[in-house]
Amino acid sequence: MLARIASFGLTGLEGYPVEVQVDISGGLPAFETVGLPDAAVKESRERVRSAIKNTGLQFPTQRITVNLAPAHVKKEGPIYDLPIAAGLLAATGQVPGDVLQNMLLLGELSLDGRLMPIMGVLPMLIAARKQGACRVVLPPDNAQEAAFVSGLDVYTPQDLGQLAKWLRGEIHLEKAAQSDWEQLRLQQSQALSDLAMVRGQENAKRALEIAAAGGHNLLMIGPPGSGKTLLARCLPSILPDLTFDEAMEVTQIHSVAGTLGGESGFITTRPFRSPHHTVSAPALTGGGPKARPGEVSLAHNGVLFLDELPEFGRDGLEALRQPLEDGFVTVSRVQMTVRYPARFMLVAAMNPCPCGQFGSRDQACRCTPPQIRRYLGRVSGPLLDRIDLQIEVEAVPVEKLEDTAPGESSATVRQRVNRARQLQLARYRESGLYCNAQLDSRGVMAHCRVTSAGQNLLRRAFSQLGLSARTYHRILKVARTIADLAGEKDIQTEHLAEAIQYRSLDRKYW
């Protein structure tokens, strides 16, 4: 007896259909799985056997052959437990096979038959819906993740026994409810640091606002205790709201990585990733035996914060150059090559020297010039070239710390940021871009035109500061953001002047 069950697999963020073929024939009892299964797929025979027996169903004592087609693609993970078990039940006549036609099954089974959650559900369902799937059976814990894929009837039985009764028509199983994106975004809240907590540092706050409004990269240099980390942690509170398309991209990545948390199963706030400086290059960019996404992809459409930038390994820092420029990262392994989106804001903080007091007005620096050069040399020029805004964060005077007057709140700044982002979304609607930082050279020429006076200013800055062509374009993009914050249609000379001043630290420190 042969049964065919539709399922799905995943390579990177791309789902592909898998047909689970279950054949039961005469001969000595055996259970073989073919079709390039990994260890987790091979172990499914023990989970399936125990799940069927412990839910009161009959496990066949015959020769069982399971083929996962296409056979030339490696299958990974426990997601095929449920379709294999359903195929066995259909092949032995315990459930009607015709009911399982045009039904997609995904899920891991526990030994007592319960359906356990799996990773990567959202990208698989999006691909399945594009290929015409209409009915899906999933573990209950994955229901919220699937609730945002329109056009799918999602069913979530608690265990294998309940699934069998539903397929036989003995019980009724309700479809999982669709979720309302706007309502979920309003319901979810996140404990974020507020800019009103930061005393002084008006220049740094202004740079944060520009970075948030345009999605620009930011580097903060200053002595220990000046507030660099606090400023970075306040950034999420002024970032614009995620659009639904952005949220879908982010949730797919976190679904594959297995980092989805919370009851909603969907990410509605911009990611903020802050890896420790001991992180390896593969952990930053992605890798491992299964080519999982790294920190740069987990920060997609959000913020990647690198505190104590020179302490990070040079291999990891240099690996950031390609995703910063291209907005994606390619992870190559022997068995596969996958491409993950990695369009993020890089926010970095560092001391000016090993002791942190180089250039301080209050304390003397204890470092020698060679020590300072070696310390700063850990951050390469090509990486600095990809950072749009560079600011100094000086120590806050005690008078500012004692000031009890409330500063400008993140909510107020966020209103200005959202207005600027709305202008950018309208401007780039046809190109599919979200912010000024995503403009390529052609986009800069089309949307960042300046007056003749501005051109003269840029020429002087280009020659005096020794700027590269990449920096030239990044200055124009920052100036475009400053103009958007001011509500101006055209870039004015004062917008260019402010953008240029954020690129003055290269000559001072490097």
Side-chain angles (χ1 to χ4, degrees):
M1 188 70 180
L2 177 66
R4 295 183 176 90
I5 308 297
S7 188
F8 245 74
L10 193 65
T11 300
L13 293 181
E14 300 296 325
Y16 61 92
V18 173
E19 185 178 77
V20 179
Q21 304 165 356
V22 181
D23 178 69
I24 299 179
S25 59
L28 294 175
F31 196 139
E32 295 293 336
T33 303
V34 296
L36 285 183
D38 71 350
V41 179
K42 291 179 180 178
E43 291 171 353
S44 66
R45 60 176 179 264
E46 304 302 332
R47 294 190 294 270
V48 168
R49 179 185 287 110
S50 297
I52 290 178
K53 289 182 177 179
N54 290 329
T55 50
L57 300 165
Q58 297 297 317
F59 186 82
T61 56
Q62 296 170 278
R63 180 173 182 81
I64 301 169
T65 304
V66 176
N67 179 43
L68 305 177
H72 68 281
V73 180
K74 189 171 182 62
K75 317 301 186 306
E76 298 178 341
I79 62 176
Y80 304 107
D81 289 4
L82 183 59
I84 290 173
L88 283 172
L89 297 179
T92 55
Q94 299 182 67
V95 299
D98 56 342
V99 179
L100 288 167
Q101 292 182 2
N102 301 320
M103 184 181 292
L104 186 69
L105 280 76
L106 297 166
E108 177 184 347
L109 290 174
S110 67
L111 298 184
D112 59 2
R114 288 179 294 114
L115 271 65
M116 308 295 291
I118 57 176
M119 299 187 301
V121 165
L122 186 59
M124 285 189 285
L125 292 188
I126 291 175
R129 184 69 191 96
K130 291 179 180 178
Q131 297 186 21
C134 297
R135 296 191 300 166
V136 181
V137 177
L138 291 174
D141 289 343
N142 292 120
Q144 290 295 330
E145 188 176 345
F148 292 92
V149 183
S150 60
L152 284 179
D153 293 337
V154 180
Y155 299 93
T156 57
Q158 295 293 323
D159 55 36
L160 188 60
Q162 189 180 37
L163 173 63
K165 292 178 181 178
W166 174 61
L167 293 174
R168 293 195 296 257
E170 299 174 5
I171 62 172
H172 176 69
L173 202 60
E174 292 287 345
K175 292 187 295 185
Q178 291 283 319
S179 294
D180 188 310
W181 156 252
E182 293 295 338
Q183 183 180 4
L184 178 64
R185 187 171 65 178
L186 291 174
Q187 287 177 350
Q188 285 193 351
S189 61
Q190 189 176 12
L192 300 174
S193 302
D194 197 288
L195 275 178
M197 301 165 49
V198 181
R199 299 291 181 237
Q201 306 296 5
E202 300 305 324
N203 291 335
K205 292 179 184 178
R206 171 64 175 172
L208 279 182
E209 182 178 343
I210 295 171
H216 301 291
N217 304 321
L218 172 67
L219 172 64
M220 295 180 286
I221 303 177
S226 56
K228 303 185 295 296
T229 302
L230 177 58
L231 284 163
R233 296 196 178 278
C234 289
L235 181 58
S237 66
I238 64 172
L239 287 175
D241 299 326
L242 271 179
T243 65
F244 180 74
D245 291 339
E246 287 178 315
M248 286 290 283
E249 292 176 352
V250 174
T251 306
Q252 287 185 69
I253 297 170
H254 285 257
S255 175
V256 171
T259 57
L260 278 181
E263 298 179 356
S264 69
F266 203 80
I267 294 177
T268 60
T269 56
R270 295 190 179 274
F272 183 86
R273 306 291 298 185
S274 180
H276 192 261
H277 60 77
T278 56
V279 66
S280 65
L284 270 177
T285 59
K290 298 182 179 180
R292 294 300 186 198
E295 292 290 339
V296 297
S297 297
L298 295 174
H300 180 62
N301 287 333
V303 177
L304 177 66
F305 176 49
L306 303 183
D307 203 1
E308 304 296 342
L309 182 65
E311 302 299 335
F312 283 78
R314 190 172 183 88
D315 289 345
L317 291 182
E318 295 306 303
L320 294 177
R321 289 161 52 180
Q322 183 260 333
L324 280 173
E325 195 70 23
D326 299 332
F328 65 87
V329 62
T330 302
V331 181
S332 298
R333 292 297 181 265
V334 174
Q335 298 173 346
M336 67 182 74
T337 297
V338 297
R339 172 171 160 171
Y340 292 113
R343 197 172 293 280
F344 57 92
M345 288 175 58
L346 174 64
V347 178
M350 60 178 289
N351 298 327
C353 67
C355 78
Q357 302 302 330
F358 177 63
S360 173
R361 301 173 183 175
D362 304 320
Q363 299 189 41
C365 175
R366 303 186 302 272
C367 305
T368 63
Q371 287 177 324
I372 297 174
R373 285 196 298 271
R374 282 195 300 270
Y375 182 78
L376 295 175
R378 297 176 186 174
V379 183
S380 68
L383 180 61
L384 285 171
D385 214 23
R386 289 166 169 82
I387 298 178
D388 305 332
L389 297 96
Q390 304 167 0
I391 59 170
E392 282 189 291
V393 182
E394 298 182 352
V396 182
V398 66
E399 296 82 8
K400 291 284 187 179
L401 296 175
E402 294 173 347
D403 187 5
T404 58
E408 190 175 37
S409 68
S410 291
T412 303
V413 177
R414 190 176 188 180
Q415 290 178 358
R416 297 197 295 266
V417 170
N418 274 326
R419 284 196 297 268
R421 281 291 181 103
Q422 290 302 319
L423 291 175
Q424 295 166 47
L425 287 173
R427 185 187 302 133
Y428 309 131
R429 181 175 288 114
E430 295 183 358
S431 59
L433 304 180
Y434 302 127
C435 59
N436 292 327
Q438 296 177 353
L439 287 173
D440 56 14
S441 300
R442 182 179 301 176
V444 170
M445 297 300 294
H447 300 289
C448 301
R449 297 176 180 175
V450 297
T451 62
S452 57
Q455 288 287 0
N456 293 331
L457 178 61
L458 277 173
R459 291 192 191 99
R460 292 198 301 271
F462 196 86
S463 60
Q464 294 177 10
L465 299 178
L467 304 178
S468 66
R470 181 186 291 112
T471 304
Y472 178 86
H473 286 138
R474 289 184 178 273
I475 287 175
L476 286 175
K477 289 189 281 187
V478 172
R480 177 69 268 173
T481 301
I482 296 172
D484 289 339
L485 284 169
E488 298 286 350
K489 182 179 180 180
D490 299 320
I491 298 175
Q492 306 296 329
T493 305
E494 59 267 24
H495 304 148
L496 276 171
E498 184 177 1
I500 291 170
Q501 76 170 0
Y502 293 122
R503 293 302 309 228
S504 60
L505 298 187
D506 286 25
R507 295 186 66 187
K508 178 176 181 179
Y509 289 104
W510 284 274

